[in-house]
Amino acid sequence: MNQRWCVLPPADKLSDLQNISSDFGIVAMAVRAVMGSLSSDKAETLHKRTEDMIQSYVTALESLSPDDNLSVLVEASTKALSATIHDVNKQCAKENVNMDNIVDQEMAATAAAVNEAAARIQEIMNSNREHLSGIELEVGEKILGSCTELMGAVRELVISSAQLQKEIVSTGQVGGGNATEFYKRHSRWTEGLLSAAKAVGWGASTLVTTADEVVGGSGKFEQLEVTSHEIAASTAQLVAASRVKANKDSANLGKVMGASKSVANATATVVAASKRCMELTEESKLVGVDYSQLSAVQVKRLDMEMQVKIKELENDLTKERMRLSKMRKLHYHFDESNGQ
């Protein structure tokens, strides 16, 4: 077993130890300087990393004997400490990004995506009126008209939400400081807000693409219904993120809630229009089919084919519901494990 120092080490060893101690002091100051600007989870990670590093060197020092050469330890510690300081400074630079600008930019991007979607819908409607007629034109008008209504409601919700965010920050609802400091203190809430805004923008773009495909005959009405429900869900998430820190008596909050109801109503209109247009399309396909001219054998064969098709669809439906349930469960547990 190695003999350990019971008194102060020799002068040359003491100098080496003092060098290590000085380097540790530099790290401590750097960590303290940046901790205040980090979100709580990142600050905790940085603090833990620094503690682990220091403890590893303390353990190494305790195991040394008076005859051991500290030069190797000093060199290794210097490299590790320099790397840590570099990481601290790099993280500090990232955290100093103006969060107020990021949130504003994301809300502006969402509003731009919704406006672009509305403009594209209008372009498709104008084109359809020039090139379509009959059932096709009627279906196009119903689908695109309902989507236009939904985009208008979503636009109002995004505008109201942006105004409410500024009110929450400016009034210091949960503490003072500037906007960037506010968003950093409530980093988890900010991430939820940004995520919701991105989802709304994505939903708007997807709705236009889906509506265009449905009207053009290459898309499915069911996909349009699912997309509209996704938009409603993402706007509900945006509303939830907005109201959680808002004053319950806020006029802007009232506007957000009113816009949210308009989105829900517009979503129902899209779904109803989709179902009605599906019926119109199916009815148009049956025109000209005279079942009275079929023989008993032909009717029986057609009856059996329809029953088989119904069974296949029911089985497919059961399988898809099982897949959806499994995916949602996995996603739910993943979110829980990541602290979402």
Side-chain angles (χ1 to χ4, degrees):
M1 180 178 247
N2 287 340
Q3 178 187 1
R4 295 195 175 93
W5 288 305
C6 297
V7 294
L8 287 176
D12 58 335
K13 306 294 185 182
L14 180 60
S15 176
D16 289 337
L17 289 174
Q18 288 173 339
N19 288 335
I20 296 177
S21 177
S22 176
D23 288 336
F24 279 139
I26 294 174
V27 171
M29 287 188 293
V31 170
R32 282 196 297 270
V34 75
M35 288 277 275
S37 64
L38 290 174
S39 56
S40 58
D41 54 340
K42 292 179 181 177
E44 183 178 352
T45 300
L46 179 59
H47 184 263
K48 181 67 166 59
R49 178 181 174 184
T50 306
E51 276 192 339
D52 290 344
M53 183 187 65
I54 293 175
Q55 183 58 47
S56 67
Y57 286 110
V58 170
T59 301
L61 288 171
E62 289 178 344
S63 66
L64 292 174
S65 71
D67 297 327
D68 287 327
N69 190 342
L70 290 182
S71 60
V72 175
L73 178 61
V74 171
E75 181 180 358
S77 66
T78 301
K79 289 181 179 179
L81 291 165
S82 297
T84 301
I85 293 173
H86 174 75
D87 290 345
V88 168
N89 291 333
K90 186 177 179 180
Q91 186 64 59
C92 185
K94 287 182 179 179
E95 290 298 320
N96 281 334
V97 173
N98 194 323
M99 286 299 299
D100 188 22
N101 290 341
I102 293 177
V103 174
D104 286 347
Q105 289 170 7
E106 194 59 55
M107 295 299 287
T110 300
V114 173
N115 288 333
E116 181 182 352
R120 285 179 60 194
I121 290 174
Q122 189 60 51
E123 290 176 3
I124 298 170
M125 289 182 72
N126 294 337
S127 177
N128 286 349
R129 288 166 183 168
E130 293 179 5
H131 302 96
L132 301 181
S133 61
I135 292 297
E136 290 181 338
L137 180 58
E138 182 180 356
V139 168
E141 289 290 303
K142 289 182 180 296
I143 292 296
L144 297 175
S146 63
C147 288
T148 298
E149 181 184 344
L150 178 56
M151 286 298 96
V154 172
R155 183 194 296 114
E156 291 302 316
L157 176 61
V158 172
I159 293 174
S160 300
S161 296
Q163 292 173 343
L164 181 58
Q165 299 318 309
K166 291 185 178 298
E167 177 187 301
I168 291 173
V169 176
S170 64
T171 57
Q173 180 69 20
V174 192
N178 59 34
T180 297
E181 292 172 351
F182 177 88
Y183 287 125
K184 284 181 179 179
R185 284 199 308 273
H186 308 284
S187 58
R188 190 65 59 84
W189 172 75
T190 303
E191 290 169 2
L193 178 66
L194 294 174
S195 174
K198 289 178 181 179
V200 172
W202 173 86
S205 300
T206 303
L207 181 70
V208 176
T209 301
T210 303
D212 190 17
E213 292 174 350
V214 169
V215 172
S218 61
K220 297 181 178 180
F221 290 101
E222 295 86 352
Q223 186 177 359
L224 182 64
E225 294 177 27
V226 170
T227 303
S228 61
H229 281 304
E230 284 297 318
I231 291 178
S234 60
T235 53
Q237 182 184 356
L238 184 60
V239 171
S242 300
R243 69 183 296 182
V244 70
K245 292 189 180 300
N247 188 318
K248 64 178 182 179
D249 298 323
S250 168
N252 284 322
L253 177 59
K255 293 179 181 179
V256 168
M257 300 308 296
S260 176
K261 292 179 181 178
S262 296
V263 170
N265 293 334
T267 300
T269 300
V270 172
V271 173
S274 177
K275 292 184 182 299
R276 177 53 185 157
C277 289
M278 188 187 305
E279 293 173 357
L280 289 173
T281 302
E282 292 301 320
E283 289 172 2
S284 67
K285 293 178 181 179
L286 296 177
V287 174
V289 179
D290 189 356
Y291 291 105
S292 65
Q293 299 301 315
L294 299 178
S295 67
V297 174
Q298 290 175 321
V299 171
K300 186 63 178 177
R301 182 183 298 115
L302 186 58
D303 182 285
M304 292 181 64
E305 289 175 356
M306 289 181 177
Q307 289 189 59
V308 170
K309 183 64 175 178
I310 291 172
K311 285 293 184 182
E312 290 175 346
L313 292 173
E314 288 176 343
N315 289 336
D316 288 343
L317 178 61
T318 300
K319 291 177 182 177
E320 289 303 313
R321 281 177 172 163
M322 291 175 64
R323 287 180 58 199
L324 178 61
S325 176
K326 184 176 181 180
M327 181 193 71
R328 285 178 172 173
K329 287 180 180 178
L330 289 173
H331 186 67
Y332 174 77
H333 290 309
F334 175 78
D335 284 349
E336 275 197 331
S337 64
N338 284 275
Q340 297 295 327

